[in-house]
Each structure stands twice: as C-alpha cells, then as structure tokens.
Amino acid sequence: MQRFTQLYSELDETNKTNAKVAALEKYFRSAPPADAAWALYYLTGNRQRRAISGAQLRDWVSQETGFAPWLVEESYHAVGDIAETLTLLLPDLDGDGADKPLHQVVQGQVLPLADLDGAAQQALVVATWRQMDRQQRFVWHKLITGAFRVGVGRTLVVRALANVAGIDKAVMAHRLMGEWQPNAAAYRALLDPDTEQADHSRPYPFYLAYQLEGEPESLGPLADWQIEWKWDGIRAQLIKRNGDVLIWSRGEELVTDAYPEVAAVAAALPDGTVLDGELLAWQDDGPLPFNVLQQRIGRKRLTAKLLNDAPVAIMVYDLLEWRGQDLRSQPLHARRQLLEALVAQLPTSDETLAIHLSPLVQPSSWADATALRDESRANRAEGFMLKRLDSSYQVGRIKGDWWKWKIDPFTVDAVMIYAQRGSGRRASLYTDYTFAVWDGEELVPFAKAYSGLTDAEIQQVDAFVRRNTKERFGPVRSVTPELVMEIAFEGIQKSTRHKSGVALRFPRIARWRKDKPIAEADTIETLRSLLAEVNG
Amino acid sequence: MGKLLELTESGLYCPEGDFHIDPWRPVARAIITHAHSDHARIGSRNYLTTPEGAGVLRLRVTGDWVTEQGYAPPQITTLPYGQTRNINGVSVSLHPAGHLLGSAQVRVEHGGEIWAVSGDYKTQVDATCTPFEPVRCHTFITESTFGLPIYRWRPQAEIFADINSWWRANQDQGRTSFLYAYALGKAQRILAGLDPEIGPILVHGSVARLNHAYAEADIALPPSQYADDEAAKSTRGRAIVIAPPSAANTPTYLRKFGPTSHAFASGWMTIRGARRRRAVDRGFVLSDHADWPGLIDAIRATGAENIGVTHGYTAVMVRWLRENGWNAWGLETRFTGEEQEEE
C-alpha cells in the first residue's frame, strides 16, 4: 500500500496539473495491475458504502489511545475530518509499517467491514491501526469512511492512463465509463492498445456545457445555433444493445431498475441505439418540478403508489449511436434529424408514452431568444441550452460549442442565525450557515448555504461567529442575528418537513449585504409569493 | 493576603511587587518573557528581560516609531537566567523557556509562595536558544496554544531533513524555494537547520534585521544574503528564501525569483485543511510552542498543584487538568500564541 500512499501524498502536495498527471503516470506504470485496478477504482470516484460511523471510530480510538471521549470530540471539532483526526490521535508505530499490496488491503481490510458485526469490526480496525504507519492509516481511513478524494478530476486520470496505454484520451474516457470490476484483468483490458473492441454495456462520456456568461450575440449568427429548453432533471443515457436495456445516469450509476417506465420504452427501440436525454417526473403533457422526481431517487422499492405519484419519463435530445454506429463525430443537425425520425417511427403504445422529444425553440433573433428565455419557469425549464448546429458530441465539459444559458436565480435577503464548521479545506473555520427570514417578530430558518463567499469573507464571518456565539449545540453555534446575506436559489417548493414551509433547490450565498440591517431582510411572505409564482 | 499574581486590565500583575508580566497596556514596570508582539508591547517605562533577549526586545519597543506615538524612550534592564532580583520585597528570577533567543519563564516568590509564568515555551531542542528548564512552584501559569492531543511534534531533525530534501527537489526542477516562517525565532531556528551545502540561503529584510540581533548574541547561523533584486537574479532556481508569511502576498516581489515553490513552517500545518487554506505546496510542522505531551510534561515537572491556563485551547487544557487531579482555571489574556492566520 506504500506505493498508493505515496501517490496520494504526491497528488495532495501539488496544485499543478502536470505534476499530478506525472505522479499518476508514474504510479500506473509501476503498480501491479491488481493494485492499479483498485487505485483507479478509487481515483475515479468509486467508493464503498460506509460500514462504520464516525462516532464508532472515535469511540474505538478513544479506547485505543486512552484519550477521554470528550477529548477525542474536541480534537475532531478542531480537525474537521474524521480520517485525519484518527490519524493524528493514534500513537506512532514502533518501526516501519507493513506494506501489503493495495488489493490485499482492500479485500482484507476494507470490503469485509461491511459484513462484520461491531466487535469484529473493531478488532479488524484496531489490528490494522497496529500494522500501518501514519500516512497509510490516513489513506486507509479515507477508504473505510467512503471519503477518498484527492483533488484529481476524472479528466486527469483519463489523461494519465491514456498516456500509459498509448491510446487516445476519448477512447480511454469511454472505456472508463460505466461499471467495471476492479481486478487485474479489467485493468489490463483498459490498457489494451487495440481500440476496436467496445463493451456493450458502456455509456459514452457525457458532453457537458458551461454557463454562458456574456451576451448571446457574442456567439455569432443565431442561424448557427440549435436552441432547446434546459430541463431540470437527471441527465441520462438510454442504451439498447444486443436486446439489453441500460439506463446510465450522469453520475455513471446504472439506474435501469429505478425507472421501469423508461426502461420499457427501450423495448420499442432498435438494437444499437444510444439516446442522451433528461429523466423528468412527468404528468400528462409536461414535466413536474424536480422535487417530485426526487421522491424516486435512491428508492430501492418502487411501490405502485410511488410510480403513480411520481411517474418518470425521458426527454431525449441527442442520438449518440444508431444502428450500432457511433454518431458522435457527426454534426448535431445530422444527429437531430436521425433522432427525430427515430422518435417519430416509434409505435404509439402505453410504453412509448414515456419518451418525449425535447422540442426546438425557434426565436427570430437573439433579442427574441432573450425574451423567450424569461418564460422558462412557466415551461418548467431552467433556461436554454445553446448548441452549435455543426458541433460534434464531445467528451467532458468543454467551452465553445455548447452553452447553458440559465435564467437568473431567485434571491432573498436573509439573516444568518446558526453557523457550523466546514470540512476539508475549511475545517476549523465556520463556513456552513443557516439563514432565516422574518415571520412577524420571529426569525424562521429556511435555508442552509455553504458556498459563495470569498476566503477573506469567510475569515471575517468566522471571526464574527466566534465573538457573537449565543449557544453551542455540538459543532453548531447560534449567533447574534446581525449578518445579512443575499441567498440565491434555483427553485422553491412547498415542504411540510421544514418549519418555514418551503424547500429550496441549490441555495447558496450570492453576496454579503453589509449595507443592510437585519430589519430590512426579507419576510416569509416573500417566500410564499415566490412559491405562488412558481406554482402559477 | 491576596494572590501573588492577578489579572488586571493591563495584564498579569503582582500587587506585592508592583510590576506586570507581559502587560498589554503601558505600565511603569514590565517583565517581558519574550519579544513577540503579543507579549512585548510598546509604551511601558521600564522593561526587564534576559541579556540574550535584550537585543530583539530593543528592536520591538524602542525607536522613532515608538517616540512618534508620544512614548518616552523606555529603559531596558537585564537579569541573567537564574539570578534573583528583589522588587519591592518580591524575589523575581528568569528561567529558560526554550521559545526563542532570550525567552524566559518568570518565577515570583513572596512569603514562601512561589508562582511561575511560562510565557510561550517549547520543550523540544532548538540550537538558537537555551533549552526549557522546569521551575518548581506552587502555581504555574501555562500557555496552551497547542493544547490538544492531535498536536505531537516529530523530532526536529526529521523536519529539517524534510525541508532540506524539499529544497533539493525544487533545485532539480529549477525552482526557488520560499519557506515562510515567523521572522523572530522560527526563522532563525530554521536557518540553523538548513544545509548550506545545498545552495545559497536568502533572507527577507525583516528576518535579516533580527538575524543581526542573533549574531550579536553569538548564535551561530549559516551565512545568508539579503534577498534583494540582485540576489534574486543571481540565485534564481537554486536558493532557499526564508521570509515572513506576509511575503506570500507580494507577487511582484516573488516574480523576481523565477519559478518558485512555497512552504510554510508552523505547528498549525499539522492539519491538512490549514495548509490547503494557505495554498502552499508544502506544510512543515515545526513549532516554537509545546505540543500536547510537552505541555503535560512541563506542567508535571513544575510540581505545581495550581495551574492557570492562558491562550490557546484553554478550556480543553483546564478540563483535562481538573480530571487528572490539578486545580486548574482559565485566564483570559490577550496573548495569541502562534498566529493561526496572517499576522
């Protein structure tokens, strides 16, 4: 595990892309395939479900070190990261740590934790502590707490691995899509210089867009662009190959079983078809708000009631494979033509009701487009997608040919009433805040927001929190209501679970309103009227 | 009889002897544990410190910038480690604190009652100052900057080896190494640990000024050059530059050194998040304060039953001491210990 630990340190110690790619290449060139497979598994964001809670680990480290539980808690609050806290509290090993191969550590000291009872888990954890050195323990803690992250995006891993294999990045990206087993054979197959064979279960890497920051006129003539509504659902690929149907979410999760209505559509699709689109909760002839779809996310058991309350459909907007042919290098207008023909030819049946073609919006000018975009919310969309008509279907998030052109978010001015320490880079600083609006004389909490402030502002808020704490509840402090911030969010829905009666989508801090006294913050009425506006 | 030392608006005060220890407001007579700015403030009339510490204290509390604020030039008197001076019937002596050159613990004795004030201290070795010596006392006032068990320092030799190999690795890539450290104490401790065989050693102006005071106190430091434009040009890609943390915010200055790599040396670098927040390439865990075992060993070695805890993880330290049989309480001072963020 030493080699993997070393890789972790090297990646962690630099912000420079080239140095990261070099460290990855060095690792993949030298690591045995059985280990490299697991390294790749974790580096590309896969992880096991967490088998042990942080509280349990803190309890065991207290027993192992003799530090009182409260002292372990204080340490945890100061560090803000469980893996790191454990590492810092444990005594140094006498002599060098064991250096077992990574795959053995994973198979012997990570995976089995899920199937052991508490006492056996503790025994395994303690035994591992006693054989690993400090840095190995840290990485292992990250693995067993399901929190392995090391600041390399998938793109860098793909680039490094493509260099090692001597094949094109796009081919490597495709090979890495979907689910693959972290074993030596799969790893060797990834590095195979023969690029002809493809795995039929695999989705294509998604093409993602950046938000358009300037005016649309900067994009050149309107005639070069295809405009669609930007739907607020789950991006997905629907695959039909060799009679098999697969639905892959953009998070590369196989979700076929979670959306049987959509999977049923594929029965009518010809073999060798891959569609790109958006999963949406759907009723009659239009999409429902995201929070309806949310009821379906992560549900293992689909009851008839759930399927009835929150039916799902797919809105398709691109055709990536047709008759077994990869169409991604074809221009968008050609793919669209084939897509329209394909959808039009589908027989009309109960099954095919769950597939819809994302309509094109055809404004007469960019000014007209700007005006139409303001109707997004009425169309249950978040704005427009702008796609160059001659664009190929690229890999990853790339500027130039595709843009998101989202409508401005909702905003309200709110008062900060609670603060909590962050984690990772922001551990030991108060960075997570709860905001409230006025309900008469009372401040009612309605949103939590984490991001949006600059580092300098976070320092200032942190200092404010420390000086103005009213009460402490574990890691949370209530503070004197004094700071007003503008909170931006994408959507608002009625909620019975929140005291304020509303649930927001993507709340974040837009800016710190240092100019506003708390009396001028918004009221619950403002939220209610936004709610009414959305629900039309 | 009241307490031998009490906390007043100006700081720790001895009513019997009519003197303050590290006062944060101007007073008639101030005994100074060390010359960091949170302990040695301007405006008092008399300062008492060790002979080793007088040079750096003079830089801190005298000069035009002090008289310009309307303060008379102060008098600085010295008292060697271990010698006793009678101040209004109270016996006062200074004892090595191991924090930096001339740093002292203050021992105060009156009517058979002995108190000791630690100031800032560390129990680790440091070639640039006299090592910490425990003072037997009834009541010990200790700092607690790193009063959590997550803070356990590694031997300084390991850290210096890490620093030197980081410097070498940077050289191999044609990078100048920027190592940020507090100008007084930490900077000199690091200089003493550098291997001058590797390449040229440069120091930022604020460090150079203090090095001078160290030289006058006969502390051996490797030869270093002042990091001006010319030195930057001639040593580009090879040198290590020791600079205060504020230099990290001067891009124009940094650019003169060509490609650079940055590191920060501080006890806070124990926590990964703290290093990442500073956006440095490396964090070296090196502190001039006692770590958790150091604090506990030091407290034990005093034999004191009563422990006053100042700046740092005060509440944690107090609770731990109480649970382990001491009579402990927290003292709200204005000392800051090792600054977590910018000075």
Side-chain angles (χ1 to χ4, degrees):
Chain A
M1 189 171 172
Q2 207 60 55
R3 196 194 314 264
F4 184 59
T5 306
Q6 175 68 23
L7 170 65
Y8 184 93
S9 304
E10 286 176 20
L11 295 175
D12 193 43
E13 275 167 16
T14 182
N15 301 321
K16 298 176 182 80
T17 305
N18 286 340
K20 288 185 179 185
V21 174
L24 288 165
E25 282 187 40
K26 187 179 86 180
Y27 176 84
F28 286 122
R29 281 185 208 285
S30 62
D35 289 347
W38 278 108
L40 184 60
Y41 175 86
Y42 289 115
L43 286 166
T44 48
N46 295 297
R47 60 206 54 181
Q48 281 81 31
R49 189 182 292 271
R50 186 170 175 163
I52 311 172
S53 72
Q56 270 176 317
L57 287 166
R58 295 200 289 280
D59 182 27
W60 299 343
V61 87
S62 166
Q63 293 177 37
E64 177 71 2
T65 60
F67 295 127
W70 68 267
L71 196 51
V72 172
E73 288 304 308
E74 290 283 356
S75 298
Y76 174 55
H77 285 165
V79 177
D81 177 287
I82 182 67
E84 194 178 350
T85 308
L86 300 173
T87 308
L88 291 172
L89 287 173
L90 287 165
D92 281 339
L93 211 58
D94 290 328
D96 290 338
D99 186 14
K100 285 198 213 170
L102 176 63
H103 75 277
Q104 278 183 23
V105 172
V106 174
Q107 280 155 3
Q109 286 155 293
V110 179
L111 303 181
L113 288 169
D115 303 317
L116 298 176
D117 65 18
Q121 283 179 333
Q122 183 176 6
L124 181 54
V125 166
V126 171
T128 306
W129 281 340
R130 291 179 185 169
Q131 58 182 235
M132 283 186 178
D133 67 21
R134 202 179 166 94
Q135 192 61 26
Q136 283 189 28
R137 278 177 195 156
F138 177 64
V139 172
W140 179 71
H141 289 147
K142 286 283 176 194
L143 298 182
I144 64 168
T145 53
F148 184 87
R149 275 201 351 248
V150 65
V152 287
R154 197 183 179 87
T155 334
L156 293 194
V157 179
V158 168
R159 200 208 292 183
L161 216 50
N163 290 348
V164 171
I167 60 173
D168 191 67
K169 274 189 302 198
V171 175
M172 185 55 78
H174 189 191
R175 285 184 183 177
L176 278 171
M177 292 297 286
E179 278 171 358
W180 53 274
Q181 294 305 313
N183 58 41
Y187 179 75
R188 286 199 191 92
L190 275 179
L191 297 187
D192 189 351
D194 173 9
T195 57
E196 287 306 307
Q197 287 190 346
D199 179 337
H200 285 294
S201 71
R202 246 171 232 154
Y204 292 105
F206 285 88
Y207 183 11
L208 308 172
Y210 279 97
Q211 169 72 11
L212 178 68
E213 297 297 347
E215 297 301 315
E217 282 80 3
S218 67
L219 299 177
L222 178 67
D224 293 348
W225 294 84
Q226 170 173 312
I227 303 180
E228 302 158 33
W229 296 108
K230 183 180 184 315
W231 304 108
D232 184 17
I234 299 171
R235 181 91 180 265
Q237 276 177 44
L238 178 57
I239 297 177
K240 171 87 176 281
R241 286 179 187 138
N242 299 349
D244 290 335
V245 175
L246 302 121
I247 305 173
W248 289 98
S249 74
R250 169 144 111 63
E252 280 172 56
E253 245 183 298
L254 191 57
V255 293
T256 321
D257 297 338
Y259 305 102
E261 318 89 312
V262 179
V265 172
L269 290 172
D271 257 331
T273 304
V274 179
L275 292 161
D276 184 13
E278 198 92 2
L279 296 169
L280 296 161
W282 195 279
Q283 197 163 44
D284 302 329
D285 52 358
L288 295 168
F290 186 81
N291 75 322
V292 181
L293 178 62
Q294 219 156 14
Q295 301 172 32
R296 293 280 297 269
I297 297 174
R299 278 299 184 91
K300 283 241 174 66
R301 249 170 52 80
L302 297 173
T303 59
K305 181 175 185 312
L306 188 62
L307 288 171
N308 188 52
D309 290 352
V312 171
I314 188 165
M315 181 86 95
V316 294
Y317 37 67
D318 215 327
L319 181 61
L320 310 186
E321 187 175 307
W322 185 63
R323 294 182 178 163
Q325 274 205 320
D326 181 352
L327 294 186
R328 293 177 300 155
S329 57
Q330 303 277 321
L332 173 63
H333 57 81
R335 299 198 306 272
R336 175 82 194 186
Q337 217 170 9
L338 289 169
L339 174 68
E340 287 179 4
L342 179 76
V343 175
Q345 282 162 18
L346 286 177
T348 311
S349 68
D350 282 356
E351 278 76 35
T352 54
L353 286 179
I355 186 166
H356 304 275
L357 182 67
S358 184
L360 300 183
V361 184
Q362 283 162 322
S364 55
S365 64
W366 282 123
D368 189 20
T370 308
L372 274 172
R373 189 179 67 125
D374 290 340
E375 293 169 24
S376 295
R377 285 203 175 103
N379 279 290
R380 298 252 190 246
E382 301 181 290
F384 283 146
M385 285 301 303
L386 308 178
K387 299 174 180 174
R388 207 181 279 279
L389 279 165
D390 60 8
S391 62
S392 61
Y393 190 94
Q394 300 172 52
V395 172
R397 199 177 295 280
I398 292 165
K399 286 188 180 172
D401 286 349
W402 282 22
W403 297 98
K404 297 191 270 199
W405 189 27
K406 287 169 63 160
I407 38 177
D408 295 333
F410 297 108
T411 60
V412 293
D413 292 328
V415 183
M416 183 178 123
I417 57 167
Y418 299 110
Q420 187 172 353
R421 289 189 215 240
S423 56
R425 196 170 77 92
R426 298 159 139 202
S428 86
L429 282 177
Y430 285 90
T431 58
D432 302 357
Y433 317 122
T434 301
F435 291 94
V437 287
W438 293 107
D439 183 2
E441 296 290 291
E442 202 193 341
L443 282 167
V444 187
F446 74 103
K448 270 184 147 185
Y450 309 87
S451 62
L453 294 180
T454 65
D455 282 358
E457 285 174 330
I458 290 173
Q459 300 280 0
Q460 287 176 41
V461 176
D462 179 73
F464 170 85
V465 171
R466 287 167 201 275
R467 281 197 315 272
N468 294 281
T469 298
K470 292 202 302 186
E471 285 174 280
R472 296 167 196 227
F473 317 92
V476 179
R477 294 182 177 202
S478 69
V479 298
T480 315
E482 196 177 310
L483 305 188
V484 178
M485 311 241 175
E486 183 178 308
I487 306 301
F489 48 96
E490 298 302 318
I492 181 166
Q493 286 303 322
K494 202 179 263 180
S495 164
T496 48
R497 287 189 300 135
H498 298 83
K499 198 178 169 190
S500 60
V502 297
L504 306 186
R505 183 140 158 80
F506 289 144
R508 71 259 180 195
I509 301 165
R511 61 194 165 125
W512 186 349
R513 295 298 303 258
K514 290 186 177 172
D515 55 320
K516 281 214 169 182
I518 58 167
E520 289 177 27
D522 279 309
T523 65
I524 193 81
E525 291 312 319
T526 317
L527 292 175
R528 286 185 190 140
S529 61
L530 290 176
L531 195 57
E533 191 184 310
V534 168
N535 291 339
Chain B
M1 197 184 80
K3 281 186 184 171
L4 198 44
L5 292 172
E6 59 188 37
L7 206 53
T8 68
E9 285 189 340
S10 301
L12 272 177
Y13 177 64
C14 176
E16 209 65 45
D18 190 23
F19 58 82
H20 288 80
I21 298 172
D22 292 351
W24 44 79
R25 287 186 181 172
V27 299
R29 186 192 287 275
I31 300 176
I32 299 298
T33 61
H34 66 286
H36 276 150
S37 56
D38 55 327
H39 292 260
R41 296 184 195 242
I42 62 166
S44 289
R45 285 205 298 284
N46 275 282
Y47 293 93
L48 179 69
T49 186
T50 60
E52 296 88 337
V56 283
L57 180 63
R58 196 164 290 122
L59 290 175
R60 215 42 118 178
V61 300
T62 65
D64 290 348
W65 72 285
V66 174
T67 44
E68 274 162 18
Q69 293 182 59
Y71 297 114
Q75 194 185 14
I76 297 180
T77 49
T78 62
L79 178 62
Y81 286 130
Q83 289 188 17
T84 303
R85 176 161 304 176
N86 184 309
I87 303 176
N88 300 323
V90 176
S91 298
V92 174
S93 56
L94 304 177
H95 303 268
H99 183 55
L100 51 87
L101 178 63
S103 66
Q105 306 174 75
V106 182
R107 181 185 183 276
V108 180
E109 178 174 2
H110 180 73
E113 176 88 5
I114 305 169
W115 287 45
V117 177
S118 75
D120 290 340
Y121 65 99
K122 71 169 171 290
T123 52
Q124 265 197 321
V125 290
D126 178 346
T128 62
C129 67
T130 318
F132 177 85
E133 279 174 23
V135 177
R136 301 288 296 179
C137 56
H138 301 108
T139 301
F140 184 50
I141 311 290
T142 182
E143 63 137 321
S144 63
T145 308
F146 291 105
L148 274 178
I150 52 172
Y151 295 109
R152 294 198 306 269
W153 312 146
R154 314 186 76 71
Q156 98 171 349
E158 279 182 32
I159 307 297
F160 288 145
D162 283 352
I163 291 174
N164 284 318
S165 68
W166 168 74
W167 180 13
R168 247 185 237 110
N170 287 334
Q171 268 189 350
D172 291 345
Q173 297 174 12
R175 294 182 187 282
T176 307
S177 305
F178 259 85
L179 180 52
Y180 302 108
Y182 299 111
L184 172 56
K186 185 77 63 68
Q188 291 75 27
R189 183 181 177 196
I190 290 171
L191 283 167
L194 292 178
D195 177 2
E197 299 289 308
I198 299 174
I201 299 172
L202 269 52
V203 291
H204 188 269
S206 56
V207 177
R209 209 162 67 101
L210 290 157
N211 282 356
H212 196 63
Y214 271 69
E216 284 186 346
D218 289 328
I219 302 297
L221 297 177
S224 58
Q225 323 172 34
Y226 175 50
D228 56 11
D229 292 7
E230 208 169 302
K233 213 165 145 189
S234 65
T235 64
R236 201 180 263 204
R238 294 184 294 129
I240 189 167
V241 188
I242 309 298
S246 54
N249 305 321
T250 54
T252 334
Y253 175 71
L254 295 179
R255 219 169 290 136
K256 301 185 200 309
F257 295 85
T260 47
S261 181
H262 301 255
F264 185 52
S266 160
W268 300 113
M269 293 297 105
T270 302
I271 298 183
R272 227 169 128 240
R275 167 171 73 71
R276 289 157 77 198
R277 216 159 43 232
R278 277 193 175 268
V280 286
D281 303 302
R282 281 293 289 270
F284 295 110
V285 182
L286 187 74
S287 178
D288 286 333
H289 294 263
D291 59 1
W292 173 261
L295 288 167
I296 289 168
D297 289 349
I299 290 166
R300 281 213 174 97
T302 62
E305 285 173 14
N306 309 307
I307 311 293
V309 183
T310 72
H311 57 301
Y313 284 98
T314 313
V316 172
M317 208 69 221
V318 167
R319 179 168 174 188
W320 187 89
L321 287 165
R322 286 189 181 159
E323 287 186 357
N324 287 276
W326 275 274
N327 173 29
W329 70 98
L331 281 142
E332 289 275 327
T333 63
R334 296 197 197 165
F335 308 132
T336 52
E338 188 160 336
E339 290 276 351
Q340 190 148 13
E341 298 304 332
E342 296 309 323
E343 283 169 297

